[in-house]
Structure formats: C-alpha cells, structure tokens
Amino acid sequence: MQSITLGEVEIIRVVEWEGAFGPARRIVPDAGIEVWKANEDLLGPDFWEQDSDTWRGALQTWVLRSGGRTVLVDTGVGNGRERPSTPMFHHRNTDFLGQLAQAGVRPEDVDVVVNTHLHADHIGWNTVGHGPGEWVPAFPNATYLMPAADHAHLDPAGGRGLRVDDVALFEDSVVPVVRAGQAVLWEGEHRIDDNLVLEAAPGHTPGSSVLRLASGGERAVFVGDLLHSPVQIAEPSCNSCFCEDAAGAAATRHRILGRAADERELVVPAHFGGPGAFEVRREASRFAVRNWASYSA
C-alpha cells in the first residue's frame, strides 16, 4: 500500500480500480482537443491515452490515521448495486474490503467515514448487502459525515425529479446509514479533530465539500470531484460533465486551488490515477503542478 505521513497524520491510498474510463471530451467537455494537446506532457500517460483520446482515472479511498482514529475519505462504488445508467458501476464485484484489510483496516476499526459528496462512486461501500434488497452500514462503529445539502438534494421526499440511479443510491447507500443512527448531516464547517476539518465547497453538487488537513506545519486538502483531470489545473474554468452547477464549480475550483497554492497544501483529488496527488503553484490566472506526490511502500 502507498502511504504518506504529514505531521502526525498517516495517509494510506487504497485503489479500488484504475484505468481507462471513457472519452476525454465527454468527461471534461469544456476542454477542447487543443487544450488537451497543449497539456499532453502533464496528462500522459497516467491521465490521458492520446491515441484513443481516452480519460484515465481511478476509484479510490484515502485512509487517514489521525488522533488515534481511523478516517475513510469516500468509499467508492460498492458491490451489487443497481446502477443501470452507469454500466461500469452496475453490479460490480470487487475485493475492496480485502484491500482495506491489507492496509490494516477492518470494518470495525473505522471511526469516521467522510463522504465528500453523495455521488454513486463516493458512497457505495457505505453499506454492504444483508440479504436480498437489504443493506446495512459496512463500518458498524463509524460516524458517517454526509453533507446535509446533498442529502436534501437526493431525498425523493423532496419531490425533485431524480434519475433511477439516484433513487437507488440514496436507498442502498444513504438511508441504511441514517436509519442506523450513524449519519451526521453537517453544513458549513465540521471539525473532526485537531488535524482535520470539513468545509463546504459547493458547485459539483450542492453539498460538495473538501477535507483540510493541517498537522505539524504540513497541509493537504482532499478535494473530491473538484478535479477529474489535470487539464483542470491548467484550465480551472473547465468543468467535468458531472458538475451540477457549472459557474459554482468553476468558482470553487479557482478558490480552492488558489488557497492550496498560497498555503502549500497537497491537493488530493478523488479520481486521479498515477501519482494521485500534487502540490500546485499559480501561473497567471491558471495553475500548474509544482510537484507530484511521492509515497513510501
């Protein structure tokens, strides 16, 4: 397993899947082919297969050991889910819990689960199957931190028209946790401990958030889906196809990257393959990678 230690916090990377996902222009439609080609040194080969014009990414969870507790940042897609609109997520079967075990994490060891937002590929392992059509929290002793705004946005009781997949993910990955009394629906800011604080960062979804780490003079920010590709570092106004509020997402991206550059935060997106994380510097109205993360085995 790959790990980094920042101050007193150990960060362990657990990759559920990494590879080619789909057409680059579909994932980040705001960035034309000329933008990708202008940044090919930044993008290839870990983030873009130029010959097929395919976006490469990862599904992964970040395990943080902080203040004597174990914190999971996002929980991937999950097994056995009904996700007909996204074939890659539909009825998956991976050994994610086995991978966590290899990292020294048993389900009962997890104290906190952070869902940076409530999209399907960030909440799937919140629960596990417990008989036909029945789901229970995967981490029985954990508090699950969910953005209140996303919960309200996805709740079918709100009367908003929802996709079939959205209804399913709410029922199988959110409701069982709430029903078990393990969910905290937070808004604005939520401090986990002396090292970790959640902050609202809306745009990608109404409740999208970032998790900031500050320990021993070292800093990181886990940005969820603020970025899907490094092309958005070079062109931060470019949104992914999954951003629900285009203007809000772009504004949040500029703000969070600017602060990361000024405060030398390690930026940790949810879906970057390759090195997975980076430090950023300002470059006029855009940004550039200062250096990529390096890990110990």
Side-chain angles (χ1 to χ4, degrees):
M1 291 291 170
Q2 297 174 318
S3 67
I4 303 173
T5 299
L6 299 180
E8 297 180 351
V9 180
E10 183 184 16
I11 303 167
I12 303 169
R13 185 184 189 186
V14 178
V15 179
E16 184 178 12
W17 172 89
E18 182 176 354
F21 184 85
R25 217 71 54 245
R26 179 169 65 83
I27 303 298
V28 189
D30 292 348
I33 185 63
E34 71 282 355
V35 175
W36 291 79
K37 287 184 175 180
N39 292 283
E40 60 182 295
D41 290 345
L42 173 66
L43 297 168
D46 291 323
F47 309 105
W48 183 39
E49 294 180 1
Q50 186 172 359
D51 290 346
S52 60
D53 195 22
T54 300
W55 175 77
R56 292 183 60 85
L59 303 171
Q60 57 201 341
T61 292
W62 301 89
V63 179
L64 311 184
R65 298 194 185 276
S66 175
R69 296 197 295 173
T70 298
V71 179
L72 303 188
V73 183
D74 289 325
T75 63
V77 174
N79 282 355
R81 312 290 153 151
E82 294 291 332
R83 304 289 187 261
S85 298
T86 311
M88 183 178 175
F89 299 168
H90 190 55
H91 291 178
R92 282 182 68 80
N93 182 22
T94 69
D95 188 31
F96 176 73
L97 294 180
Q99 291 173 283
L100 278 182
Q102 291 177 29
V105 180
R106 302 172 301 171
E108 59 268 29
D109 297 334
V110 177
D111 299 290
V112 178
V113 173
V114 172
N115 297 137
T116 58
H117 61 291
L118 301 185
H119 275 169
D121 51 334
H122 294 259
I123 63 174
W125 281 102
N126 281 4
T127 59
V128 291
H130 189 65
E134 184 179 354
W135 303 90
V136 297
F139 308 104
N141 300 318
T143 297
Y144 289 69
L145 300 176
M146 300 180 179
D150 272 6
H151 183 276
H153 186 60
L154 285 170
D155 189 345
R160 189 176 70 87
L162 295 168
R163 299 182 314 145
V164 172
D165 284 24
D166 290 335
V167 173
L169 70 87
F170 191 80
E171 292 298 325
D172 64 39
S173 300
V174 176
V175 169
V177 177
V178 175
R179 186 185 296 129
Q182 291 179 233
V184 171
L185 305 180
W186 66 277
E187 54 189 344
E189 181 176 299
H190 182 92
R191 180 163 287 281
I192 296 173
D193 60 22
D194 290 344
N195 304 314
L196 304 172
V197 61
L198 276 163
E199 295 179 358
H204 180 69
T205 66
S208 282
S209 62
V210 298
L211 176 66
R212 300 188 73 196
L213 181 162
S215 177
E218 297 188 272
R219 297 177 179 273
V221 58
F222 297 80
V223 300
D225 281 3
L226 192 75
L227 299 160
H228 272 77
S229 166
V231 77
Q232 295 170 285
I233 304 169
E235 297 289 345
S237 295
C238 293
N239 290 311
S240 78
C241 64
F242 309 108
C243 290
E244 300 186 33
D245 171 5
T252 295
R253 190 175 304 109
H254 275 276
R255 177 173 63 84
I256 298 299
L257 287 175
R259 186 174 66 185
D262 295 342
E263 300 190 12
R264 295 295 294 268
E265 292 177 312
L266 182 70
V267 180
V268 190
H271 297 303
F272 276 26
F278 62 95
E279 288 188 3
V280 64
R281 59 180 171 82
R282 291 183 183 271
E283 197 169 79
S285 63
R286 297 177 175 84
F287 299 93
V289 172
R290 185 189 300 274
N291 51 64
W292 292 102
S294 58
Y295 303 88
S296 57

mmCIF file of all heavy atoms in Angstrom, residues 17 19-23 26-27 54-57 59 86 88-89 242:
data_model
loop_
_atom_site.group_PDB
_atom_site.id
_atom_site.type_symbol
_atom_site.label_atom_id
_atom_site.label_comp_id
_atom_site.label_asym_id
_atom_site.label_seq_id
_atom_site.Cartn_x
_atom_site.Cartn_y
_atom_site.Cartn_z
ATOM 1 N N TRP A 17 -10.049 0.658 -8.244
ATOM 2 C CA TRP A 17 -9.895 0.418 -9.688
ATOM 3 C C TRP A 17 -9.134 1.589 -10.293
ATOM 4 O O TRP A 17 -9.267 2.734 -9.843
ATOM 5 C CB TRP A 17 -11.260 0.292 -10.346
ATOM 6 C CG TRP A 17 -11.219 0.234 -11.843
ATOM 7 C CD1 TRP A 17 -11.096 -0.878 -12.624
ATOM 8 C CD2 TRP A 17 -11.278 1.345 -12.749
ATOM 9 N NE1 TRP A 17 -11.072 -0.522 -13.956
ATOM 10 C CE2 TRP A 17 -11.194 0.842 -14.058
ATOM 11 C CE3 TRP A 17 -11.394 2.731 -12.569
ATOM 12 C CZ2 TRP A 17 -11.208 1.655 -15.187
ATOM 13 C CZ3 TRP A 17 -11.420 3.551 -13.687
ATOM 14 C CH2 TRP A 17 -11.329 3.006 -14.992
ATOM 15 N N GLY A 19 -7.821 2.861 -14.451
ATOM 16 C CA GLY A 19 -7.691 2.523 -15.858
ATOM 17 C C GLY A 19 -8.421 3.494 -16.756
ATOM 18 O O GLY A 19 -8.785 4.605 -16.349
ATOM 19 N N ALA A 20 -8.630 3.073 -18.003
ATOM 20 C CA ALA A 20 -9.324 3.905 -18.988
ATOM 21 C C ALA A 20 -10.822 3.857 -18.714
ATOM 22 O O ALA A 20 -11.395 2.781 -18.524
ATOM 23 C CB ALA A 20 -9.027 3.392 -20.392
ATOM 24 N N PHE A 21 -11.442 5.032 -18.706
ATOM 25 C CA PHE A 21 -12.853 5.121 -18.336
ATOM 26 C C PHE A 21 -13.756 5.479 -19.510
ATOM 27 O O PHE A 21 -14.785 4.862 -19.719
ATOM 28 C CB PHE A 21 -13.032 6.157 -17.225
ATOM 29 C CG PHE A 21 -14.439 6.251 -16.698
ATOM 30 C CD1 PHE A 21 -14.866 5.393 -15.706
ATOM 31 C CD2 PHE A 21 -15.326 7.191 -17.190
ATOM 32 C CE1 PHE A 21 -16.175 5.461 -15.212
ATOM 33 C CE2 PHE A 21 -16.629 7.279 -16.715
ATOM 34 C CZ PHE A 21 -17.046 6.413 -15.712
ATOM 35 N N GLY A 22 -13.388 6.511 -20.268
ATOM 36 C CA GLY A 22 -14.251 6.931 -21.363
ATOM 37 C C GLY A 22 -13.640 8.083 -22.132
ATOM 38 O O GLY A 22 -12.532 8.546 -21.823
ATOM 39 N N PRO A 23 -14.335 8.576 -23.151
ATOM 40 C CA PRO A 23 -13.803 9.654 -23.988
ATOM 41 C C PRO A 23 -13.459 10.902 -23.172
ATOM 42 O O PRO A 23 -14.265 11.359 -22.355
ATOM 43 C CB PRO A 23 -14.942 9.936 -24.972
ATOM 44 C CG PRO A 23 -15.744 8.675 -25.005
ATOM 45 C CD PRO A 23 -15.663 8.111 -23.617
ATOM 46 N N ARG A 26 -15.873 13.722 -23.297
ATOM 47 C CA ARG A 26 -17.125 13.538 -22.565
ATOM 48 C C ARG A 26 -16.940 13.832 -21.081
ATOM 49 O O ARG A 26 -17.817 14.389 -20.435
ATOM 50 C CB ARG A 26 -17.650 12.113 -22.759
ATOM 51 C CG ARG A 26 -18.944 11.840 -22.007
ATOM 52 C CD ARG A 26 -19.579 10.527 -22.438
ATOM 53 N NE ARG A 26 -18.761 9.365 -22.112
ATOM 54 C CZ ARG A 26 -18.755 8.770 -20.922
ATOM 55 N NH1 ARG A 26 -19.507 9.242 -19.941
ATOM 56 N NH2 ARG A 26 -18.001 7.707 -20.713
ATOM 57 N N ILE A 27 -15.776 13.465 -20.536
ATOM 58 C CA ILE A 27 -15.541 13.658 -19.106
ATOM 59 C C ILE A 27 -15.333 15.129 -18.777
ATOM 60 O O ILE A 27 -15.863 15.635 -17.788
ATOM 61 C CB ILE A 27 -14.326 12.821 -18.635
ATOM 62 C CG1 ILE A 27 -14.554 11.339 -18.953
ATOM 63 C CG2 ILE A 27 -14.076 13.029 -17.148
ATOM 64 C CD1 ILE A 27 -15.752 10.721 -18.264
ATOM 65 N N THR A 54 -8.752 8.989 -24.653
ATOM 66 C CA THR A 54 -9.481 8.409 -23.531
ATOM 67 C C THR A 54 -8.979 8.957 -22.204
ATOM 68 O O THR A 54 -7.774 9.041 -21.967
ATOM 69 C CB THR A 54 -9.325 6.874 -23.531
ATOM 70 O OG1 THR A 54 -9.848 6.363 -24.766
ATOM 71 C CG2 THR A 54 -10.064 6.241 -22.374
ATOM 72 N N TRP A 55 -9.919 9.322 -21.359
ATOM 73 C CA TRP A 55 -9.593 9.760 -19.997
ATOM 74 C C TRP A 55 -9.281 8.563 -19.113
ATOM 75 O O TRP A 55 -9.985 7.558 -19.133
ATOM 76 C CB TRP A 55 -10.770 10.537 -19.413
ATOM 77 C CG TRP A 55 -10.615 10.935 -17.981
ATOM 78 C CD1 TRP A 55 -9.862 11.964 -17.490
ATOM 79 C CD2 TRP A 55 -11.225 10.322 -16.834
ATOM 80 N NE1 TRP A 55 -9.975 12.027 -16.109
ATOM 81 C CE2 TRP A 55 -10.801 11.033 -15.687
ATOM 82 C CE3 TRP A 55 -12.096 9.238 -16.676
ATOM 83 C CZ2 TRP A 55 -11.223 10.705 -14.397
ATOM 84 C CZ3 TRP A 55 -12.509 8.896 -15.379
ATOM 85 C CH2 TRP A 55 -12.079 9.619 -14.267
ATOM 86 N N ARG A 56 -8.205 8.651 -18.353
ATOM 87 C CA ARG A 56 -7.842 7.634 -17.383
ATOM 88 C C ARG A 56 -8.063 8.180 -15.978
ATOM 89 O O ARG A 56 -7.763 9.332 -15.684
ATOM 90 C CB ARG A 56 -6.379 7.213 -17.538
ATOM 91 C CG ARG A 56 -6.069 6.468 -18.826
ATOM 92 C CD ARG A 56 -4.619 6.038 -18.858
ATOM 93 N NE ARG A 56 -4.274 5.152 -17.754
ATOM 94 C CZ ARG A 56 -4.463 3.827 -17.757
ATOM 95 N NH1 ARG A 56 -4.973 3.229 -18.816
ATOM 96 N NH2 ARG A 56 -4.139 3.099 -16.707
ATOM 97 N N GLY A 57 -8.582 7.335 -15.112
ATOM 98 C CA GLY A 57 -8.848 7.774 -13.746
ATOM 99 C C GLY A 57 -8.793 6.608 -12.782
ATOM 100 O O GLY A 57 -8.371 5.497 -13.130
ATOM 101 N N LEU A 59 -10.809 4.889 -9.035
ATOM 102 C CA LEU A 59 -11.756 4.862 -7.931
ATOM 103 C C LEU A 59 -10.952 4.475 -6.705
ATOM 104 O O LEU A 59 -10.325 3.409 -6.687
ATOM 105 C CB LEU A 59 -12.858 3.836 -8.191
ATOM 106 C CG LEU A 59 -13.666 4.014 -9.474
ATOM 107 C CD1 LEU A 59 -14.572 2.811 -9.701
ATOM 108 C CD2 LEU A 59 -14.476 5.294 -9.429
ATOM 109 N N THR A 86 -25.029 3.652 -15.470
ATOM 110 C CA THR A 86 -23.563 3.659 -15.499
ATOM 111 C C THR A 86 -23.078 2.215 -15.490
ATOM 112 O O THR A 86 -22.855 1.639 -14.420
ATOM 113 C CB THR A 86 -22.998 4.427 -14.282
ATOM 114 O OG1 THR A 86 -23.662 5.685 -14.154
ATOM 115 C CG2 THR A 86 -21.496 4.675 -14.447
ATOM 116 N N MET A 88 -20.381 0.675 -15.807
ATOM 117 C CA MET A 88 -19.182 0.335 -15.051
ATOM 118 C C MET A 88 -19.472 0.162 -13.556
ATOM 119 O O MET A 88 -18.774 -0.555 -12.849
ATOM 120 C CB MET A 88 -18.118 1.414 -15.257
ATOM 121 C CG MET A 88 -16.820 1.097 -14.564
ATOM 122 S SD MET A 88 -15.599 2.358 -14.869
ATOM 123 C CE MET A 88 -14.300 1.765 -13.803
ATOM 124 N N PHE A 89 -20.501 0.847 -13.057
ATOM 125 C CA PHE A 89 -20.849 0.774 -11.639
ATOM 126 C C PHE A 89 -21.925 -0.272 -11.353
ATOM 127 O O PHE A 89 -22.223 -0.545 -10.197
ATOM 128 C CB PHE A 89 -21.360 2.129 -11.144
ATOM 129 C CG PHE A 89 -20.374 3.270 -11.242
ATOM 130 C CD1 PHE A 89 -20.809 4.575 -11.052
ATOM 131 C CD2 PHE A 89 -19.040 3.054 -11.523
ATOM 132 C CE1 PHE A 89 -19.915 5.639 -11.134
ATOM 133 C CE2 PHE A 89 -18.133 4.106 -11.617
ATOM 134 C CZ PHE A 89 -18.583 5.410 -11.418
ATOM 135 N N PHE A 242 -19.950 16.026 -14.873
ATOM 136 C CA PHE A 242 -20.725 15.654 -13.693
ATOM 137 C C PHE A 242 -21.041 16.849 -12.792
ATOM 138 O O PHE A 242 -21.759 16.692 -11.807
ATOM 139 C CB PHE A 242 -19.959 14.600 -12.887
ATOM 140 C CG PHE A 242 -19.504 13.426 -13.702
ATOM 141 C CD1 PHE A 242 -18.161 13.262 -14.021
ATOM 142 C CD2 PHE A 242 -20.415 12.487 -14.169
ATOM 143 C CE1 PHE A 242 -17.729 12.180 -14.774
ATOM 144 C CE2 PHE A 242 -19.994 11.405 -14.938
ATOM 145 C CZ PHE A 242 -18.648 11.252 -15.239
#
